[in-house]
Amino acid sequence: MFRAGGHRVSGAAGHDAGSLLMDPVAHIRAGAETGTPWRFRLEELAWRDLVDGLKQAKLPFAGLWCDGTDVHVLFLPHGNQPLAATLALEDGRYPALSPARAVSSLYERMVFDLYGAEAMWARDVRPLVDHEVWSSTTPLAVTPGPAGGHKGMIAFEPSEAFTAVEGLAAGVGPATGRMEAPCHVALTLRGETIAAAETVTGYAHRGMALRWRNSRVDDACRLSGRVAAGCSAAHQVAFCQAIEAACGEQIGHEVSQLRVVLLELERCVQHLYTLAALAREAGAVLVASRCMWFREQLLKEAAPVIGSRLLMDHCVPGGVSLRSASEVGDLCTRLTELGDDIYPGLADLWRSYLGLSARLAGVGVLDRAGWERVGLDGPVARASGSDSDCRRDMRLYDGLWRFTAGRQEGSVEDRAAVLVDEVGESLRMLGDLAPRLGLTAGGRIDLSYQDGEGIGMTEGPWGRVLYWVRLLNGRVEHVFLRDPSYPALMAFESILPGQNVADVALIKASLGVNAAALDG
């Protein structure tokens, strides 16, 4: 298969067997050392051997990106400990990782759209965000291509698997007059049952990679807070951690606890927003309004102390920026008291509301094989029996984190129940933090922006948010972002076949598919 306007090859692997199917971690570490202790440079044959080895190993994949010269792949073999392999592009090409890690196909498509770097033997070569409407193609390449010539509606390019399914063609979004995110879901229907589904993204592309390139650190941090609505604190905390790691600095313990306050408050309000959306889609208007009312009470209490209702731009490299940091301890106490008054009744209402459980039960089931295949984590995976929560391995959660979801079935009902439980757990953490925060909290340390790279990560409302940042001459040279939306999108596509077409919005909301975070 060739992509129009390019030479991207798809098909069987292009080198013979005989690869060294050794432990992928040892294989990466056998590569040439770089200036970063957890990143190693491989030659092309060693990279191909790595891909072969990954087909047999369960090494957790975190992301793949390009900087114009090299392509990098990141793994997390031991909790939050990073391990990366780097390969120099040869004639703008590199061996694809998607034959071994399905979710990497989304990253490969993004790399091609932005840099023109071709993933050889890739599983999917369709455009991801470039639909031939940009002012130039491959805009981050050394020599960008000509402007796209598309003037009409964006055409859906189905995969061979999608076209092989017979049925009535239908679609949902992105311009239906509702408030849903800009993402097109192409469907093949048999009656009211979905037989096949694929998505078209790119409508919300904002050129984040180009805007981050060579930006000032504070500007780049501000930009990270605008990647995904409802997850600003998680993105900015992870970005700031990456900057601090690149500078070889660590913030003080009390400042890190203030960041936890931001993260857990954001988790509460985002989960309540999602629960309201699920209840509304299920016809439980009373439950939806109660969730939004509780959310409003939390934000109304927090905004005068934090500085805004959006929880945005309050985590900065080297520290935090709060309107009244010395009052955060008292705020945590008030939020916990508010939770004690409202949360138990809300949780009971969710579990006992007539018809709500019946409407959600058995819908959109994601089993263990499903989330493992795409590398999904966060509450969606926890509702399917996973024990994935990167807070357990984060220093700033020492003595705070102790929660593991007990759900196993992986339906929309289970995912909603996990969100309800996590709201209560986050409120408990805020209560535990209250006596730890004193009058000296807040501020920031001055960072010396030396050349280097670092990684930061945190557990956002929908799972692990990870940033890789490279600094050069006091500015941000490159940024790579891993957001849970990529595996969530693949899980969404895999779940839909067999579901009722009326449940598409319900399933999408329960998975946390975020078009803006997807499109970059």
Side-chain angles (χ1 to χ4, degrees):
M1 175 184 285
F2 291 85
R3 175 171 171 179
H7 309 282
R8 211 168 171 192
V9 183
S10 176
H15 76 288
D16 198 0
S19 302
L20 300 176
L21 298 180
M22 61 188 295
D23 173 24
V25 172
H27 190 72
I28 293 172
R29 293 189 177 279
E33 294 183 356
T34 66
T36 304
W38 42 263
R39 185 168 64 83
F40 299 84
R41 182 172 291 278
L42 303 182
E43 298 297 330
E44 182 177 342
L45 290 180
W47 181 280
R48 294 191 189 190
D49 291 342
L50 172 63
V51 175
D52 285 342
L54 289 170
K55 295 175 183 178
Q56 311 297 326
K58 292 188 176 182
L59 182 62
F61 168 83
L64 180 143
W65 71 98
C66 180
D67 60 18
T69 302
D70 298 320
V71 64
H72 312 271
V73 59
L74 178 68
F75 303 96
L76 299 171
H78 305 294
N80 294 340
Q81 298 301 313
L83 178 66
T86 296
L87 175 70
L89 294 173
E90 185 172 347
D91 296 327
R93 297 181 177 184
Y94 64 98
L97 206 74
S98 50
R101 291 292 182 272
V103 72
S104 68
S105 66
L106 295 175
Y107 295 94
E108 291 166 357
R109 293 163 65 188
M110 178 70 83
V111 164
F112 185 85
D113 284 351
L114 298 183
Y115 291 93
E118 302 179 40
M120 299 182 290
W121 313 295
R123 290 292 177 87
D124 193 342
V125 298
R126 294 172 297 159
L128 187 68
V129 292
D130 180 5
H131 300 292
E132 298 186 8
V133 298
W134 293 352
S135 59
S136 64
T137 56
T138 62
L140 299 187
V142 175
T143 304
H150 198 82
K151 302 300 181 184
M153 294 290 289
I154 293 175
F156 167 55
E157 296 185 25
S159 69
E160 294 178 1
F162 185 86
T163 56
V165 179
E166 295 182 356
L168 176 67
V172 179
T176 60
R178 300 179 63 189
M179 296 296 291
E180 75 270 9
C183 174
H184 177 69
V185 185
L187 303 170
T188 298
L189 303 180
R190 293 174 183 160
E192 294 185 355
T193 301
I194 299 170
E198 286 187 345
T199 56
V200 182
T201 61
Y203 302 96
H205 181 69
R206 295 158 290 168
M208 301 294 276
L210 181 59
R211 295 167 70 182
W212 268 315
R213 181 190 279 186
N214 297 321
S215 62
R216 294 176 59 250
V217 173
D218 286 347
D219 291 340
C221 180
R222 185 175 183 276
L223 192 59
S224 70
R226 277 113 183 117
V227 169
C231 302
S232 292
H235 278 262
Q236 289 187 314
V237 170
F239 176 86
C240 291
Q241 289 175 340
I243 291 292
E244 290 150 9
C247 296
E249 296 281 357
Q250 285 191 347
I251 60 171
H253 178 70
E254 194 164 16
V255 173
S256 72
Q257 301 291 270
L258 288 173
R259 290 182 175 179
V260 173
V261 172
L262 294 172
L263 291 168
E264 296 309 315
L265 178 57
E266 179 176 75
R267 194 180 321 278
C268 284
V269 298
Q270 180 60 26
H271 281 359
L272 289 169
Y273 183 88
T274 302
L275 289 166
L278 292 173
R280 196 177 301 112
E281 286 289 341
V285 179
L286 174 63
V287 181
S289 63
R290 188 68 175 176
C291 290
M292 292 302 286
W293 178 78
F294 186 21
R295 179 178 185 272
E296 177 63 24
Q297 299 310 303
L298 293 173
L299 290 174
K300 182 179 179 181
E301 193 70 49
V305 177
I306 300 296
S308 76
R309 291 169 49 89
L310 297 177
L311 306 180
M312 187 183 290
D313 301 332
H314 300 300
C315 183
V316 294
V320 292
S321 176
L322 305 175
R323 178 175 294 172
S324 184
S326 62
E327 297 180 25
V328 174
D330 291 337
L331 169 64
C332 289
T333 299
R334 295 196 300 273
L335 292 175
T336 304
E337 292 171 349
L338 193 62
D340 290 341
D341 290 339
I342 301 174
Y343 173 75
L346 176 62
D348 288 342
L349 178 64
W350 184 276
R351 296 176 184 123
S352 62
Y353 191 82
L354 187 64
L356 180 56
S357 176
R359 177 67 181 87
L360 304 181
V363 176
V365 174
L366 178 68
D367 59 17
R368 182 182 184 92
W371 62 258
E372 283 187 338
R373 185 181 71 86
V374 298
L376 192 62
D377 54 18
V380 176
R382 291 194 281 275
S384 301
S386 170
D387 191 18
S388 58
D389 192 325
C390 71
R391 286 177 290 180
R392 67 150 54 85
D393 297 317
M394 296 180 66
R395 183 176 59 90
L396 65 167
Y397 278 92
D398 285 350
L400 287 172
W401 185 90
R402 64 169 187 259
F403 180 74
T404 300
R407 291 280 171 159
Q408 301 287 329
E409 301 304 319
S411 68
V412 173
E413 180 189 25
D414 294 297
R415 293 194 280 275
V418 168
L419 299 187
V420 172
D421 290 345
E422 289 192 359
V423 170
E425 181 65 7
S426 291
L427 290 169
R428 191 271 307 165
M429 281 195 239
L430 292 175
D432 289 348
L433 282 166
R436 304 185 186 189
L437 300 173
L439 299 178
T440 60
R444 64 190 294 186
I445 60 174
D446 292 329
L447 299 175
S448 176
Y449 297 133
Q450 302 175 356
D451 294 355
E453 61 187 78
I455 276 185
M457 67 188 79
T458 191
E459 182 77 12
W462 289 107
R464 189 191 307 268
V465 175
L466 182 148
Y467 275 78
W468 167 85
V469 175
R470 178 185 289 161
L471 299 177
L472 182 67
N473 299 325
R475 300 177 79 89
V476 174
E477 185 186 27
H478 288 287
V479 172
F480 164 74
L481 161 65
R482 186 272 185 192
D483 184 88
S485 289
Y486 271 20
L489 180 71
M490 297 200 76
F492 177 57
E493 290 183 343
S494 70
I495 286 173
L496 285 182
Q499 303 296 312
N500 190 292
V501 68
D503 294 335
V504 171
L506 197 64
I507 295 169
K508 185 178 178 184
S510 75
L511 293 170
V513 178
N514 188 303
L518 276 166
D519 294 342

Coordinates of all heavy atoms in Angstrom, one line a residue, residues 144-202:
P144 N 9.8 21.6 4.3 CA 8.4 21.3 4.2 C 7.9 21.1 2.8 O 8.4 21.7 1.8 CB 7.7 22.5 4.9 CG 8.8 23.1 5.8 CD 10.1 22.9 5.0
G145 N 6.8 20.3 2.6 CA 6.3 20.1 1.3 C 5.3 21.2 0.9 O 5.1 22.2 1.6
P146 N 4.7 21.0 -0.3 CA 3.8 22.0 -0.8 C 2.5 22.0 -0.1 O 2.2 21.1 0.7 CB 3.6 21.6 -2.3 CG 3.8 20.1 -2.2 CD 4.9 19.9 -1.2
A147 N 1.7 23.1 -0.3 CA 0.4 23.2 0.4 C -0.5 22.1 -0.1 O -0.4 21.6 -1.2 CB -0.2 24.5 0.1
G148 N -1.4 21.7 0.8 CA -2.4 20.7 0.4 C -3.4 21.2 -0.5 O -3.7 22.4 -0.5
G149 N -3.8 20.4 -1.4 CA -4.7 20.9 -2.5 C -6.2 20.5 -2.3 O -7.0 20.7 -3.2
H150 N -6.5 20.1 -1.1 CA -7.9 19.7 -0.8 C -8.8 20.9 -0.5 O -8.4 21.7 0.4 CB -8.0 18.7 0.3 CG -9.2 17.9 0.4 ND1 -9.5 16.8 -0.4 CD2 -10.4 18.1 1.1 CE1 -10.7 16.3 -0.1 NE2 -11.2 17.1 0.8
K151 N -9.9 21.1 -1.2 CA -10.8 22.2 -1.0 C -12.1 21.9 -0.5 O -12.9 22.7 0.0 CB -10.9 23.0 -2.3 CG -9.6 23.5 -2.9 CD -8.8 24.4 -2.0 CE -7.5 24.9 -2.6 NZ -6.7 25.7 -1.6
G152 N -12.6 20.6 -0.6 CA -13.9 20.2 -0.2 C -13.9 19.6 1.1 O -13.1 19.8 2.0
M153 N -14.9 18.7 1.3 CA -15.0 18.0 2.6 C -13.9 17.0 2.7 O -13.5 16.4 1.7 CB -16.4 17.3 2.6 CG -17.6 18.2 2.7 SD -17.7 19.0 4.3 CE -18.2 17.6 5.3
I154 N -13.4 16.8 4.0 CA -12.4 15.8 4.2 C -12.9 14.4 3.9 O -14.0 14.0 4.4 CB -11.9 15.9 5.6 CG1 -11.1 17.2 5.8 CG2 -11.0 14.7 6.0 CD1 -10.7 17.4 7.3
A155 N -12.2 13.6 3.1 CA -12.7 12.3 2.7 C -12.2 11.3 3.7 O -11.1 11.3 4.2 CB -12.1 12.0 1.3
F156 N -13.1 10.3 4.0 CA -12.8 9.2 4.9 C -12.0 8.1 4.1 O -12.5 7.7 3.0 CB -14.0 8.6 5.5 CG -13.9 7.3 6.2 CD1 -12.9 7.1 7.2 CD2 -14.6 6.2 5.8 CE1 -12.7 5.9 7.8 CE2 -14.5 5.0 6.4 CZ -13.5 4.8 7.4
E157 N -10.8 7.8 4.6 CA -10.0 6.7 3.9 C -10.1 5.5 4.8 O -9.4 5.3 5.8 CB -8.6 7.2 3.8 CG -8.4 8.4 2.9 CD -6.9 8.7 2.7 OE1 -6.1 7.8 2.9 OE2 -6.6 9.8 2.4
P158 N -11.0 4.5 4.4 CA -11.2 3.3 5.2 C -10.0 2.4 5.1 O -9.3 2.4 4.1 CB -12.4 2.7 4.7 CG -12.5 3.2 3.3 CD -11.9 4.5 3.2
S159 N -9.8 1.6 6.1 CA -8.8 0.5 6.0 C -9.4 -0.7 5.2 O -10.6 -0.7 5.0 CB -8.4 0.0 7.4 OG -9.4 -0.6 8.0
E160 N -8.5 -1.6 4.8 CA -9.0 -2.8 4.1 C -9.9 -3.6 4.9 O -10.9 -4.2 4.5 CB -7.8 -3.6 3.6 CG -6.9 -2.9 2.6 CD -5.7 -3.7 2.2 OE1 -5.6 -4.9 2.7 OE2 -4.9 -3.3 1.3
A161 N -9.7 -3.7 6.2 CA -10.5 -4.5 7.1 C -11.9 -3.8 7.2 O -12.9 -4.5 7.3 CB -9.9 -4.5 8.5
F162 N -12.0 -2.5 7.2 CA -13.2 -1.8 7.3 C -14.1 -2.0 6.1 O -15.3 -2.3 6.1 CB -13.0 -0.3 7.6 CG -14.3 0.4 7.8 CD1 -14.8 0.5 9.1 CD2 -14.9 1.1 6.8 CE1 -16.0 1.3 9.3 CE2 -16.1 1.8 7.0 CZ -16.6 1.9 8.3
T163 N -13.5 -1.9 4.9 CA -14.2 -2.0 3.7 C -14.7 -3.5 3.4 O -15.6 -3.7 2.6 CB -13.3 -1.6 2.5 OG1 -12.1 -2.3 2.5 CG2 -13.0 -0.1 2.6
A164 N -14.0 -4.4 4.1 CA -14.4 -5.8 3.9 C -15.7 -6.2 4.6 O -16.3 -7.3 4.3 CB -13.3 -6.8 4.4
V165 N -16.2 -5.3 5.5 CA -17.4 -5.6 6.2 C -18.6 -5.0 5.5 O -18.6 -3.8 5.1 CB -17.3 -5.0 7.6 CG1 -18.6 -5.3 8.4 CG2 -16.1 -5.6 8.4
E166 N -19.6 -5.9 5.2 CA -20.8 -5.4 4.5 C -21.8 -4.9 5.5 O -22.0 -5.4 6.6 CB -21.4 -6.6 3.7 CG -20.5 -7.1 2.6 CD -21.1 -8.2 1.8 OE1 -22.2 -8.6 2.2 OE2 -20.5 -8.6 0.8
G167 N -22.6 -3.9 5.0 CA -23.6 -3.3 5.8 C -23.9 -1.9 5.4 O -23.4 -1.4 4.4
L168 N -24.7 -1.2 6.1 CA -25.2 0.2 5.8 C -24.1 1.2 6.3 O -23.8 1.1 7.5 CB -26.5 0.5 6.4 CG -27.1 1.9 6.2 CD1 -27.4 2.2 4.8 CD2 -28.3 2.1 7.1
A169 N -23.6 2.0 5.5 CA -22.6 3.0 5.9 C -23.3 4.2 6.6 O -24.4 4.7 6.3 CB -21.9 3.6 4.6
A170 N -22.7 4.5 7.8 CA -23.2 5.6 8.6 C -22.0 6.3 9.3 O -20.9 5.9 9.2 CB -24.2 5.1 9.6
G171 N -22.3 7.4 10.0 CA -21.2 8.1 10.6 C -21.7 9.0 11.7 O -22.9 9.4 11.7
V172 N -20.9 9.4 12.6 CA -21.2 10.3 13.7 C -20.1 11.3 13.8 O -18.9 11.0 13.9 CB -21.3 9.5 15.1 CG1 -21.6 10.5 16.2 CG2 -22.3 8.4 15.0
G173 N -20.5 12.6 13.9 CA -19.6 13.7 14.0 C -18.8 14.0 12.7 O -18.9 13.3 11.8
P174 N -18.0 15.1 12.7 CA -17.8 16.0 13.8 C -18.7 17.2 13.8 O -18.7 18.0 14.7 CB -16.4 16.5 13.6 CG -16.3 16.5 12.1 CD -17.1 15.4 11.6
A175 N -19.6 17.4 12.8 CA -20.4 18.6 12.7 C -21.9 18.1 12.7 O -22.5 18.1 11.6 CB -20.1 19.4 11.5
T176 N -22.4 17.9 13.9 CA -23.8 17.4 14.0 C -24.7 18.4 14.7 O -25.9 18.1 14.9 CB -23.8 16.0 14.7 OG1 -23.3 16.2 16.0 CG2 -23.0 15.0 14.0
G177 N -24.2 19.5 15.1 CA -24.9 20.5 15.8 C -24.9 20.3 17.3 O -25.5 21.1 18.0
R178 N -24.3 19.2 17.8 CA -24.2 19.0 19.2 C -22.8 19.5 19.7 O -22.1 20.1 18.9 CB -24.3 17.5 19.5 CG -25.7 16.9 19.0 CD -25.7 15.4 19.4 NE -25.7 15.2 20.8 CZ -25.5 14.0 21.3 NH1 -25.4 12.9 20.5 NH2 -25.5 13.8 22.6
M179 N -22.6 19.3 21.0 CA -21.3 19.8 21.6 C -20.2 18.8 21.7 O -19.3 19.0 22.4 CB -21.7 20.4 23.0 CG -22.6 21.6 23.0 SD -21.9 23.0 22.1 CE -20.6 23.4 23.3
E180 N -20.3 17.7 20.9 CA -19.3 16.7 21.0 C -18.0 17.1 20.4 O -18.0 18.1 19.6 CB -19.8 15.4 20.4 CG -19.7 15.4 18.8 CD -21.0 15.9 18.2 OE1 -21.9 16.3 19.0 OE2 -21.2 15.8 17.0
A181 N -16.9 16.4 20.8 CA -15.6 16.8 20.3 C -15.5 16.5 18.8 O -16.2 15.6 18.3 CB -14.5 16.0 21.1
P182 N -14.6 17.2 18.1 CA -14.5 17.1 16.7 C -13.7 15.8 16.3 O -12.5 15.8 16.1 CB -13.7 18.3 16.2 CG -12.9 18.7 17.4 CD -13.8 18.4 18.6
C183 N -14.5 14.7 16.1 CA -13.9 13.4 15.7 C -15.0 12.7 15.0 O -16.1 12.6 15.4 CB -13.5 12.6 17.0 SG -12.9 11.0 16.6
H184 N -14.7 12.2 13.8 CA -15.7 11.5 13.0 C -15.5 10.0 13.2 O -14.4 9.5 13.2 CB -15.4 11.8 11.5 CG -16.4 11.0 10.6 ND1 -17.7 11.3 10.5 CD2 -16.1 10.0 9.7 CE1 -18.3 10.5 9.6 NE2 -17.3 9.7 9.2
V185 N -16.7 9.4 13.5 CA -16.7 7.9 13.7 C -17.5 7.3 12.5 O -18.7 7.5 12.3 CB -17.4 7.5 15.0 CG1 -17.3 6.0 15.2 CG2 -16.8 8.3 16.2
A186 N -16.8 6.6 11.6 CA -17.4 6.0 10.5 C -17.9 4.6 10.9 O -17.1 3.8 11.6 CB -16.4 5.8 9.3
L187 N -19.1 4.3 10.5 CA -19.7 3.0 11.0 C -20.3 2.2 9.8 O -20.7 2.8 8.8 CB -20.9 3.3 12.0 CG -20.6 4.2 13.2 CD1 -21.8 4.6 13.9 CD2 -19.6 3.4 14.1
T188 N -20.3 0.9 10.0 CA -21.0 0.0 9.1 C -22.0 -0.7 10.0 O -21.7 -1.3 11.0 CB -20.1 -1.0 8.5 OG1 -19.1 -0.4 7.7 CG2 -20.9 -2.0 7.6
L189 N -23.3 -0.5 9.6 CA -24.4 -1.0 10.5 C -25.1 -2.2 9.8 O -25.3 -2.3 8.6 CB -25.4 0.1 10.7 CG -24.9 1.4 11.3 CD1 -26.1 2.4 11.5 CD2 -24.2 1.1 12.7
R190 N -25.5 -3.1 10.7 CA -26.5 -4.2 10.3 C -27.7 -4.0 11.3 O -27.6 -4.4 12.4 CB -25.8 -5.5 10.5 CG -24.7 -5.8 9.4 CD -24.0 -7.1 9.7 NE -22.9 -7.2 8.8 CZ -21.8 -8.1 9.0 NH1 -21.8 -8.8 10.1 NH2 -20.9 -8.2 8.1
G191 N -28.7 -3.4 10.7 CA -29.8 -3.0 11.6 C -29.3 -1.8 12.5 O -28.8 -0.8 12.0
E192 N -29.5 -2.0 13.8 CA -29.0 -1.0 14.7 C -27.7 -1.4 15.4 O -27.2 -0.8 16.3 CB -30.1 -0.7 15.8 CG -31.3 -0.1 15.2 CD -32.3 0.2 16.3 OE1 -32.1 -0.1 17.5 OE2 -33.3 0.9 16.0
T193 N -27.1 -2.5 14.9 CA -25.9 -3.1 15.5 C -24.7 -2.6 14.7 O -24.7 -2.7 13.4 CB -25.9 -4.6 15.6 OG1 -27.0 -5.0 16.4 CG2 -24.7 -5.1 16.2
I194 N -23.6 -2.2 15.3 CA -22.4 -1.8 14.6 C -21.6 -3.0 14.2 O -21.3 -3.9 15.1 CB -21.6 -0.9 15.6 CG1 -22.4 0.4 15.9 CG2 -20.3 -0.5 14.9 CD1 -21.7 1.2 17.0
A195 N -21.3 -3.1 12.9 CA -20.5 -4.2 12.4 C -19.0 -3.8 12.3 O -18.2 -4.7 12.5 CB -21.0 -4.7 11.1
A196 N -18.7 -2.6 12.1 CA -17.3 -2.1 12.0 C -17.3 -0.6 12.3 O -18.3 0.1 12.1 CB -16.8 -2.4 10.6
A197 N -16.2 -0.2 12.8 CA -16.0 1.2 13.1 C -14.6 1.7 13.0 O -13.7 0.9 13.3 CB -16.5 1.5 14.6
E198 N -14.4 2.9 12.5 CA -13.1 3.5 12.4 C -13.3 5.0 12.6 O -14.4 5.6 12.3 CB -12.4 3.2 11.0 CG -11.9 1.8 10.9 CD -11.0 1.6 9.7 OE1 -11.1 2.4 8.8 OE2 -10.3 0.6 9.7
T199 N -12.3 5.7 13.0 CA -12.3 7.1 13.3 C -11.5 7.9 12.4 O -10.5 7.4 11.8 CB -11.9 7.4 14.8 OG1 -10.6 6.9 15.0 CG2 -12.9 6.7 15.8
V200 N -11.9 9.2 12.2 CA -11.1 10.2 11.5 C -10.8 11.3 12.5 O -11.8 11.9 13.0 CB -11.8 10.7 10.2 CG1 -10.9 11.7 9.5 CG2 -12.2 9.5 9.3
T201 N -9.5 11.6 12.7 CA -9.2 12.7 13.6 C -8.4 13.7 12.8 O -8.3 13.7 11.6 CB -8.3 12.1 14.8 OG1 -7.1 11.6 14.2 CG2 -9.0 11.0 15.6
G202 N -8.0 14.8 13.5 CA -7.2 15.8 12.9 C -7.9 17.1 12.8 O -7.3 18.2 12.6

